[in-house]
Amino acid sequence: MHSIAVTNQKGGVGKTTITAHLAVGLARRGHRVLAIDLDPQGYLTRHFGLKDELYRAERDNLALHLTNDTPGEVVDLAVETDEGVDLVPSNYDMRGVADALSNARNRERRLQNVFSSLSDDAYDYLVVDSPPNLGVLTDNAILASRRLLIPIQAEDSSLDALEMVLDEVEEIEVAFDIDIEILGIVPNLVPRDGVAKSTLETMRSTPGLEDLVLPYEIRKRADIKYAMRRGETLYAYNESSDMISVFDRLAEDVERSVN
Ligand SMILES: Nc1ncnc2c1ncn2[C@@H]1O[C@H](COP(=O)(O)OP(=O)(O)OP(=O)(O)O)[C@@H](O)[C@H]1O
Ligand SMILES: [Mg+2]
């Protein structure tokens, strides 16, 4: 079982979009995939058309598992989506998790503990969407996954944001004495203009980044936004979109890099 977190503290760069499409892309390659929505905003849950899950107070939920010292079985939280992947939805209780964990023991390892209740053959891939800040939830996503995809927008402000994520990753590696692998920095929302092109060229030739920034990009496409709004991925909304092959390539690259 391989776990991948999609993370960047910068908001709106495509974490949720990439998590959803990677999950479905991997499922379409024959893998059993569990997507986990670690963001209290719940956009991944909405992206799979499961908005109602966010309001279900009576149900056992991820927030309870993260704040409880003895988490239950994470498979009990998984719901089926229409797109061939299972999802652990977010929930409005997730808004209180960061505060509840602020002084808690092993607070950064809660998701890792939650995952440890999964038998190794339950899923082939766990794909985790993280919130837009460098807080305890993002630390949990990184520690539980140890493999990261970092979406960026091809603009100069992304470089500063990227530096912050990379610093955070390094700090976690040192603090917990673990190795974290960056599977790729994924350029997203790339418009067809010279500025974006030259920003990407700069990133791809920056020492330390050149091997990390993927050699292809996800372009800005209205259909990606429309699909999300309808609660489905592009795979369900418009399979003839030219971005389908890009998401497929991402899934294929992830598959290759974990094996
Ligand atoms: N390649 C794209 N083309 C067009 N729209 C996109 C693309 N990628 C993402 N979007 C849209 O941009 C918005 C932000 O994307 P998304 O929610 O995936 O980012 P995020 O990093 O998860 O945001 P947040 O930080 O709020 O969690 C969404 O409305 C999404 O549909
Ligand atoms: Mg998001």
Side-chain angles (χ1 to χ4, degrees):
M1 195 161 57
H2 310 290
S3 179
I4 296 134
V6 183
T7 191
N8 188 336
Q9 80 287 349
K10 192 166 157 63
V13 293
K15 294 178 285 296
T16 302
T17 303
I18 288 168
T19 307
H21 289 81
L22 174 64
V24 177
L26 287 168
R28 284 163 53 103
R29 301 180 66 75
H31 301 294
R32 290 159 306 157
V33 182
L34 179 64
I36 295 100
D37 190 354
L38 206 59
D39 184 353
Q41 299 178 102
Y43 284 113
L44 185 67
T45 305
R46 296 165 199 267
H47 207 335
F48 281 112
L50 294 167
K51 186 176 162 206
D52 288 351
E53 294 291 332
L54 298 172
Y55 304 94
R56 288 174 70 147
E58 80 282 9
R59 196 164 169 273
D60 191 15
N61 64 50
L62 182 58
L64 293 172
H65 284 234
L66 291 169
T67 50
N68 209 316
D69 277 331
T70 49
E73 299 281 321
V74 69
V75 280
D76 294 341
L77 302 179
V79 292
E80 274 180 38
T81 72
D82 291 340
E83 300 202 41
V85 311
D86 287 352
L87 171 77
V88 173
S90 185
N91 178 279
Y92 278 116
D93 290 346
M94 288 288 288
R95 288 173 298 182
V97 170
D99 278 349
L101 289 182
S102 62
N103 291 311
R105 202 168 36 84
N106 283 334
R107 60 182 181 276
E108 296 92 354
R109 289 195 189 271
R110 296 303 175 113
L111 186 63
Q112 191 182 327
N113 291 342
V114 167
F115 284 175
S116 67
S117 71
L118 279 171
S119 72
D120 202 45
D121 57 0
Y123 291 96
D124 301 312
Y125 289 90
L126 309 179
V127 188
V128 184
D129 187 20
S130 34
N133 56 59
L134 289 176
V136 70
L137 287 172
T138 295
D139 288 350
N140 267 277
I142 296 174
L143 258 170
S145 305
R146 313 222 176 157
R147 289 189 170 102
L148 309 183
L149 281 178
I150 305 175
I152 50 157
Q153 262 177 281
E155 50 187 41
D156 291 341
S157 65
S158 279
L159 273 174
D160 300 329
L162 190 56
E163 213 169 290
M164 282 178 73
V165 196
L166 298 177
D167 284 351
E168 179 78 3
V169 168
E170 239 179 80
E171 276 176 31
I172 293 179
E173 284 185 312
V174 172
F176 295 92
D177 194 23
I178 55 168
D179 285 326
I180 295 165
E181 187 185 359
I182 295 169
L183 299 183
I185 293 169
V186 191
N188 182 34
L189 282 156
V190 179
R192 237 178 236 294
D193 65 38
V195 180
K197 195 164 174 246
S198 88
T199 306
L200 277 176
E201 273 167 15
T202 305
M203 288 181 182
R204 288 192 176 116
S205 56
T206 301
L209 293 185
E210 74 267 66
D211 296 332
L212 294 178
V213 182
L214 297 181
Y216 48 91
E217 52 259 346
I218 303 164
R219 299 212 164 264
K220 188 171 184 172
R221 290 285 182 268
D223 275 357
I224 293 180
K225 205 181 217 16
Y226 294 145
M228 185 187 242
R229 212 179 275 164
R230 278 176 46 137
E232 56 192 23
T233 69
L234 202 55
Y235 285 105
Y237 181 70
N238 178 8
E239 216 184 326
S240 62
S241 164
D242 61 343
M243 287 303 109
I244 290 288
S245 63
V246 179
F247 286 122
D248 280 343
R249 185 167 173 192
L250 180 65
E252 197 182 333
D253 277 355
V254 164
E255 185 183 67
R256 191 174 320 114
S257 58
V258 304
N259 285 312

